[in-house]
Amino acid sequence: MTDDEPKHPIEGQIVLLAGAKASVPLERLSELLAETQTDLGGRMEEYRQQYECVYETAEMSVFLVEEGHWKTVGNRLGFDRREWDAVRRAHEQQLHRTGRREGRRSEFVSALEIRDVVLISNEK
């Protein structure tokens, strides 16, 4: 990610793993995450009004959304199925890691049984 690209809240190791699981090259997934962040960042107020924010720091806000949300986002951005699935996986895996760090793992795992997760960077 270059300095002029939007910052996304996904850690590098997670990007690597999510890309491998979805068969999307690391460089391409990084581009997809940056493009997604641009879109989501511009919709922050919409997410705050429509969805539950379950975790927030100075760096990111975490929202639980309806299942299938990533397909909708991916279609809006012109991503193919593998691409939006890789983005979904990256957001989900970052929530798992955050849950472990914060002692909220079981809570977040349970939430993901019925919903998807969207992480939006609070950094500009």
Side-chain angles (χ1 to χ4, degrees):
M1 186 171 8
T2 62
D3 289 340
D4 59 339
E5 288 181 347
K7 295 184 181 195
H8 61 73
I10 312 299
E11 296 172 24
Q13 184 180 27
I14 290 173
V15 175
L16 182 65
L17 292 172
K21 287 181 180 179
S23 300
V24 174
L26 175 61
E27 185 175 306
R28 178 64 181 143
L29 182 52
S30 292
E31 292 169 0
L32 295 169
L33 288 167
E35 186 176 341
T36 301
Q37 180 56 46
T38 297
D39 179 73
L40 297 176
R43 298 170 188 271
M44 180 65 90
E45 286 310 311
E46 177 182 327
Y47 277 85
R48 288 196 183 286
Q49 291 174 8
Q50 292 184 9
Y51 301 108
E52 177 184 5
C53 182
V54 294
Y55 181 76
E56 191 163 31
T57 66
E59 292 80 32
M60 71 177 165
S61 297
V62 178
F63 298 93
L64 295 178
V65 299
E66 72 279 355
E67 285 184 301
H69 187 80
W70 283 111
K71 182 178 182 180
T72 302
V73 171
N75 288 340
R76 180 173 66 236
L77 297 176
F79 298 170
D80 67 28
R81 186 187 191 297
R82 270 191 342 214
E83 291 174 333
W84 63 255
D85 187 54
V87 172
R88 179 195 61 79
R89 286 175 187 266
H91 282 246
E92 187 175 288
Q93 289 305 311
Q94 185 64 55
L95 181 65
H96 284 293
R97 180 167 288 177
T98 300
R100 282 192 303 274
R101 286 182 185 150
E102 298 297 320
R104 297 175 66 183
R105 184 180 183 283
S106 63
E107 172 190 347
F108 290 160
V109 167
S110 294
L112 290 175
E113 290 177 6
I114 58 171
R115 296 189 267 182
D116 284 342
V117 63
V118 170
L119 289 78
I120 302 177
S121 177
N122 291 328
E123 297 181 285
K124 301 296 179 203

